[in-house]
Amino acid sequence: MAGPTFAFFEGRIVPYAQAHVGMLNHTLNYGTGVFGGLRAYWNETRAQLYLFRPLDHFRRFIESSRLLNMQLPYDGADLLRHTVELLRAEEHKADMYIRPLAYFAEEMIGVRLHDLQARVAIVAVPFGRYLEHEEGAHATISSWRRVDDNSIPARGKITGSYVNSALIKTDALRSGYDEAIVLNSDGHVTEGSAENFFMVRHGELITPPITDNILEGITRRTLMTLARDDLGLTVVERPIDRTEVYLAEEAFFCGTGVQIAAITRIDHRPLGEGRMGPVVTRLRDLYFQVVRGGEAKYSSWLTPVYDVERIAARA
Ligand code: PMP
């Protein structure tokens, strides 16, 4: 997959190779950064690239930065403008992943969160699948526990807390699974290493509450809306016990990167029929319609990136 050509760095678009921090950078050493992860979807028929819910992503990004006492030099509208500029510079006619990162610029010894300068960089790359087996993932219950709100808040995307995700993911992959479901210190289900979790049980769509130490996921919120308003499903937020997931009719991971990945086996136990079920199938179909601009009702979630007339004039 092609790497980035440009980056938004120190207030402007520069060649990617010029976007650097030093070895003593505070965030590199102490994990004191926050990041985001957005997607933009290419619509071939309209020759348009659509950013999905960018202002919701940037609101979480800014809220995550507040958890680390960061004062970002931009608001959501600025971040959206710079993201659009960057995507226009990259000029891809493909699905893109966008990574904003807020970091402390200082190069120094000393861990703290106050009296530091926050900066923002943004990079965008063409991006396809995140999980290989999106239509039938085999998940395990991780032996690791999800970071607790009183240790590192899971509701925000804090770089340091992804050590937890990395420990979870590597052990799952090395044991032959596609992903892991992670429990919190109470033993309740939280989410995957970098995805929110849903299950279908007795026909209801169930997902853990934010207070069980999960990321405030934007795809999770999107799917709760689609499931209720378009598929007429009952959606319940409540704590989930470990053994309940073994009894689920269907389950899936969701997130910007993973999109929607059906979990068809957990710890070698097949769920339902052991293949992608009807609820996951319908939600996935609808989600992909929505993100590519196929559902007028949800067009307010999309920001078109390209100036179509300008592109057509050049073709
Ligand atoms: N949980 C974690 C830990 C994540 O890293 C992600 C990816 N951002 C998600 C859930 C899904 O969040 P979203 O739908 O906002 O991408």
Side-chain angles (χ1 to χ4, degrees):
M1 217 163 259
T5 310
F6 299 103
F8 173 77
F9 182 71
E10 298 189 345
R12 59 203 180 91
I13 308 280
V14 299
Y16 177 68
Q18 285 177 23
H20 285 302
V21 295
M23 289 310 294
L24 274 181
N25 172 268
H26 196 276
T27 293
L28 180 62
N29 283 264
Y30 301 122
T32 51
V34 307
F35 65 108
L38 295 76
R39 271 189 190 259
Y41 287 89
W42 176 243
N43 181 315
E44 183 71 42
T45 321
R46 293 186 209 156
Q48 188 55 273
L49 187 63
Y50 290 111
L51 265 167
F52 186 61
R53 302 192 76 166
L55 289 173
D56 294 307
H57 278 277
F58 288 129
R59 183 167 59 187
R60 184 181 64 200
F61 182 68
I62 290 167
E63 287 187 352
S64 298
S65 76
R66 286 171 50 204
L67 293 172
L68 295 195
N69 201 47
M70 285 177 151
Q71 308 259 313
L72 299 192
Y74 310 106
D75 64 15
D78 297 330
L79 292 166
L80 175 55
R81 197 158 30 83
H82 294 308
T83 301
V84 167
E85 276 168 33
L86 177 68
L87 287 169
R88 286 185 178 174
E90 288 283 356
E91 266 194 320
H92 289 283
K93 295 180 174 171
D95 295 347
M96 301 290 289
Y97 186 86
I98 300 99
R99 166 57 50 84
L101 171 71
Y103 59 98
F104 286 123
E106 275 77 5
E107 295 183 32
M108 53 165 284
I109 308 291
V111 65
R112 63 168 198 262
L113 292 174
H114 62 283
D115 297 338
L116 297 169
Q117 275 272 327
R119 299 246 170 92
V120 174
I122 312 174
V123 174
V125 284
F127 201 70
R129 279 188 178 221
Y130 180 77
L131 275 195
E132 192 186 338
H133 302 125
E134 264 180 23
E135 290 92 0
H138 187 186
T140 184
I141 308 286
S142 184
S143 61
W144 298 96
R145 293 291 177 264
R146 185 78 175 119
V147 284
D148 184 80
D149 195 53
N150 295 298
S151 304
I152 305 178
R155 72 180 62 252
K157 273 180 89 72
I158 295 171
T159 58
S161 74
Y162 279 75
V163 170
N164 184 229
S165 298
L167 290 165
I168 291 158
K169 183 76 179 207
T170 285
D171 280 5
L173 291 182
R174 285 187 173 164
S175 308
Y177 300 96
D178 297 299
E179 244 307 341
I181 296 165
V182 193
L183 308 179
N184 61 19
S185 39
D186 299 341
H188 289 115
V189 169
T190 64
E191 56 185 340
S193 66
E195 311 89 11
N196 287 117
F197 175 84
F198 282 84
M199 68 176 189
V200 179
R201 185 140 189 246
H202 302 153
E204 287 182 339
L205 190 59
I206 305 167
T207 193
I210 303 287
T211 46
D212 269 353
N213 296 328
I214 65 169
L215 184 78
E216 295 184 347
I218 287 147
T219 318
R220 173 181 179 276
R221 228 169 348 124
T222 300
L223 296 180
M224 287 168 76
T225 302
L226 299 183
R228 278 187 183 128
D229 295 357
D230 295 81
L231 304 188
L233 294 171
T234 303
V235 183
V236 183
E237 285 178 272
R238 65 156 176 83
I240 298 175
D241 276 338
R242 174 200 185 124
T243 54
E244 271 186 291
V245 303
Y246 296 137
L247 301 177
E249 288 117 50
E250 299 183 48
F252 58 92
F253 290 119
C254 71
T256 301
V258 75
Q259 306 176 110
I260 302 169
I263 303 168
T264 49
R265 269 186 304 162
I266 302 178
D267 289 333
H268 300 269
R269 296 156 166 87
L271 297 194
E273 312 267 296
R275 59 186 126 81
M276 187 157 85
V279 173
V280 186
T281 305
R282 285 167 70 207
L283 266 178
R284 273 181 110 226
D285 291 348
L286 181 57
Y287 182 75
F288 285 122
Q289 278 287 105
V290 168
V291 295
R292 284 191 201 283
E295 292 286 334
K297 183 175 164 192
Y298 294 112
S299 60
S300 65
W301 282 345
L302 305 178
T303 299
V305 168
Y306 292 138
D307 175 343
V308 175
E309 280 165 31
R310 190 184 52 117
I311 291 174
R314 243 194 299 157

